[in-house]
Amino acid sequence: MATRHIGALPILDGDRLAGIITERDILTSLGAGEDPDAELVSRHLTSDVVYAAPDWSLEEAAAAMVRGGFRHLIVVERGETVGILSVRDVVRCWTDDGAICPVPASAGVG
């Protein structure tokens, strides 16, 4: 994850999405003194995942992340994982530096 600058990974159990593991999950394990070479991903992933559809607006996705207290949202289409949206993706879109879409009035920016 560090080499590729990835903050979260969807975890599959066969063809089924079992959950998501994030850099925070790994740091929590390390902070607890657990051996990263001995720990299993299944002990640290979040299995109660909130999913987004590709047609959600960024505002809907951001609201789901704030309500759920998480920073990564798995995007699923027709039962298949098609991507992960991060808070960084949303912020990049809603800032003047990286704006690729209009900033919603409800975002309180401006």
Side-chain angles (χ1 to χ4, degrees), residues 9 11 20-21 25-26 36 38-46:
L9 289 172
I11 303 300
I20 186 171
I21 191 159
D25 298 324
I26 294 168
E39 286 298 307
L40 300 176
V41 168
S42 61
R43 289 200 50 217
H44 301 281
L45 63 81
T46 300

Side-chain angles (χ1 to χ4, degrees), residues 22-62:
T22 68
E23 58 197 354
R24 183 178 290 168
D25 298 324
I26 294 168
L27 287 172
T28 299
S29 174
L30 292 172
E34 297 172 335
D35 179 358
D37 292 326
E39 286 298 307
L40 300 176
V41 168
S42 61
R43 289 200 50 217
H44 301 281
L45 63 81
T46 300
S47 58
D48 186 20
V49 178
V50 175
Y51 305 98
D55 63 349
W56 279 23
S57 70
L58 287 178
E59 192 167 4
E60 289 172 302

